[in-house]
Amino acid sequence: MAQALDPAEVTALLAERRREALARLAGTDAEREAVVAASRETVADDEHDPEGSTIAYERRLLDALTHDQRDRLREIDEAEHRLAAGTYGTCLRCHRPIPVERLRAVPTARTCVGCASR
């Protein structure tokens, strides 16, 4: 029989990942607010402002980082739903158990290593 993670361990792993994502999201939000505030203090004409493209680039980068952290939070929510439904740790493709080592490394994993590499 395949070894499975204890639900309490899964809950702790997911809670830690959630704390990390929320901290990163808060930092990214604060950084974005600083960039937006700085852009208000500069010339409003990005086309002729030598810093305009840099500010726009920084905002796009921060938007992408925010999107990534929100995706991580969504993945954590989905993993918690799978845990509650009793399907956590089962590959969504082949329906075999996901190795415990993979789940410890990536607690939001939805597929086994074999299916993830396809």
Side-chain angles (χ1 to χ4, degrees), residues 23-45:
R24 286 184 183 134
L25 186 60
T28 302
D29 285 346
E31 213 173 321
R32 188 177 192 291
E33 286 177 25
V35 168
V36 169
S39 71
R40 285 189 197 121
E41 296 171 8
T42 62
V43 178
D45 183 5

Side-chain angles (χ1 to χ4, degrees), residues 6-107:
D6 176 52
E9 182 178 359
V10 174
T11 300
L13 287 168
L14 293 172
E16 179 60 28
R17 296 294 165 105
R18 182 178 299 283
R19 278 189 295 275
E20 291 169 1
L22 288 171
R24 286 184 183 134
L25 186 60
T28 302
D29 285 346
E31 213 173 321
R32 188 177 192 291
E33 286 177 25
V35 168
V36 169
S39 71
R40 285 189 197 121
E41 296 171 8
T42 62
V43 178
D45 183 5
D46 278 359
E47 185 177 331
H48 297 99
D49 179 10
E51 292 297 316
S53 61
T54 302
I55 291 170
Y57 171 78
E58 287 178 22
R59 287 173 73 170
R60 282 193 307 273
L61 178 63
L62 291 168
D63 287 345
L65 292 171
T66 297
H67 179 61
D68 287 349
Q69 293 312 311
R70 288 191 176 134
D71 278 350
R72 288 182 199 275
L73 291 169
R74 180 187 46 75
E75 289 172 355
I76 292 165
D77 289 342
E78 290 172 358
E80 289 172 339
H81 289 296
R82 289 192 305 277
L83 184 63
T87 60
Y88 182 85
T90 301
C91 178
L92 295 179
R93 284 190 175 168
C94 70
H95 307 288
R96 292 189 179 121
I98 299 171
V100 170
E101 299 80 22
R102 175 165 170 71
L103 292 172
R104 282 193 178 118
V106 184

